[in-house]
Amino acid sequence: MSSYVITIGTIIVIQAIAVCGLNVIVGYAGQISLGHAAFFGIGAYSAAILTTKAGFSFWTALPLVIGMSGFIGLLLGLPSIRVREDFLAITTIGINFIVEAVFRYVQFFGGALGIGGIPRIVLFGIKLKGITFFLLCLGFLIVVLFICWWFTRSWASLACYAIREEETAASTMGISPVRFKLLAFVIGTAMAGLGGSLYAHYMQFISAGDFSFPVSVAFLSMLVLGGMGTLWGPVVGTLILGVLPEVFRPLVDYRIFFYTLLLLLMIRFQPGGILGEGSVVRRILAPILKGGRA
Amino acid sequence: MLLEVKDIHISYGDIQAICGVSFCLERGELVSIIGANGAGKTSILNSVMGIFPPQKGAIYFKGQDITTMPVHQRARIGIRIVPERSRVFPRLTVYENLMTGVYGLKNKLPIDERVSWLYEVFPILKERHNQIGSTLSGGEQQQLSIARALISDPELLLVDEVSMGLMPKLVEQVFGVLEQLNRGHGLTILLVEQNAFASLNISARGYVLETGTCVLHGDAKELMDNPRVKEVYLGH
């Protein structure tokens, strides 16, 4: 495999981890989030600071990075208790801009210059790069998918589905909306933190622009395209939107046109996404894809 | 006393929906609140469930003040509601809908026994076991909604306009089930209905609500003989 393919593959896998996290928040719990790149960034910056300034290795920093992303997700998930739908979308956009501004203007986070010199991940004395780094990311994606699979079969998932469908009716069944919305935010943002950490160690240099609002929109597009609330939707969506720009590279001037056309066709003909409820692909692959509920 | 509602006031902005209503339920009673559209019946049920807590007054359940208690906690202490227009979860199957009703009670209830019993009471739900909620007919959704509220073995069942949108035969069947649950199983039920005859017919007592105030109350049979109730609600 060429290093070009491995690079594209690694980025896709890292993004798929973050999009799986977004799926827990948006797909399973039904909470709109347009600021997911902020948590991807919080994971990346936490990993970068802990490894470049505090002397941690990737492995010792990882639990702290995931914990920190989840904790900040918990705090920033608090607005979801008070605000819903459009207002929550606007609130999460605001969170993205604030987090990006903090990275850009606070010197501790490297300011406009970002943070460089982030070390490579070392496993059993081997510095991971190329295919080995790709395989590590793939391993983490499998773990994340397993957690999502477990989640879809848990009581927490049933509670989240109920809240997504009819919040008031869910609470009359004894389900606490506050508890499960926050749980979804914690799990989803912790996954974004993991993705961010891998991104930082892969790129070895990060800056605030890597975690801006358009990145959040891209994550959401990947999720919508693949199918919200499905197990494999985030992976399929990320794969397609990761590969398409490369496939259309010879038509570089028309790339955005094809990308936009694809999204419009999806919205028109398959609003649930490629693997979403009632989709053509899902009907064909129904016996194989037992993953998501919706 | 199982439920005591004391002088509650509910308003939506400038509109006063409930003005100083008080009532009570003894354990094992079936009590109806009847009234025309907009009389405030649903507001009362919603306030007992905690969906719209009253701005003034107090609600006691088993002697405990629950006026400001969150909805999900009221559900956990034994109050369940069958809402108007059923509100089943459209993308969950019949079984999954039922399972949402036992959330947090998994280890305290013999769930399989409860499901079997409910499938006996509502045989159509057994046939629709794996069907998603949105594909059920209105009557089936209403039955699922009642079953979902009953699966947790509640102490108090609040039933809101259960006859709405159901064909007469099904209304009779649903009221029959409610009567059986009350008489046979001792379930305490607070029934809110426009169908005054059907609800008073199975109730021990009743309250008549007009524009947010209680204008009459008493024994159900006496209320059915009351000239005003006869004229306005029973069409005699």
Side-chain angles (χ1 to χ4, degrees), chain B residues 158-169:
Chain B
L158 310 172
V159 185
D160 191 4
E161 302 277 11
V162 75
S163 68
M164 189 176 274
L166 295 186
M167 58 182 186
K169 195 180 169 191

Side-chain angles (χ1 to χ4, degrees), chain A residues 237-285:
Chain A
T238 312
L239 190 65
I240 291 171
L241 288 190
V243 169
L244 270 190
E246 303 307 319
V247 172
F248 289 130
R249 195 169 282 276
L251 302 167
V252 66
D253 291 343
Y254 305 100
R255 204 161 55 164
I256 297 299
F257 169 75
F258 283 113
Y259 177 87
T260 313
L261 185 68
L262 176 80
L263 284 181
L264 285 174
L265 289 172
M266 285 301 300
I267 291 164
R268 173 64 185 86
F269 295 107
Q270 298 280 279
I274 289 171
L275 297 179
E277 199 176 350
S279 76
V280 176
V281 177
R282 194 170 179 86
R283 259 179 275 155
I284 295 167
L285 300 179

Side-chain angles (χ1 to χ4, degrees), chain A residues 155 158-159 161-162 164-166 168-177 179-180 277 293-294, chain B residues 49 51 71-72 75-76 80-81 87 89-92 96 99-103 106 111 132 148:
Chain A
W155 282 79
L158 194 61
Y161 278 119
R164 184 188 70 181
E165 307 261 324
E166 260 278 11
T168 305
S171 52
T172 64
M173 298 291 111
I175 297 165
S176 163
R179 185 176 165 192
F180 289 102
E277 199 176 350
R293 190 188 299 259
Chain B
M49 194 67 232
I51 297 166
V71 181
H72 70 278
R76 289 189 178 188
R80 290 291 163 112
I81 188 168
R87 282 184 166 178
F89 301 116
R91 285 188 280 182
L92 299 183
E96 287 171 335
M99 286 302 104
T100 59
V102 288
Y103 186 80
K106 199 170 69 167
I111 293 172
I132 61 167
R148 191 179 62 181

Side-chain angles (χ1 to χ4, degrees), chain A residues 69-83:
Chain A
S69 304
F71 179 68
I72 296 172
L74 174 74
L75 296 181
L76 299 185
L78 289 172
S80 70
I81 298 164
R82 295 267 172 216
V83 293

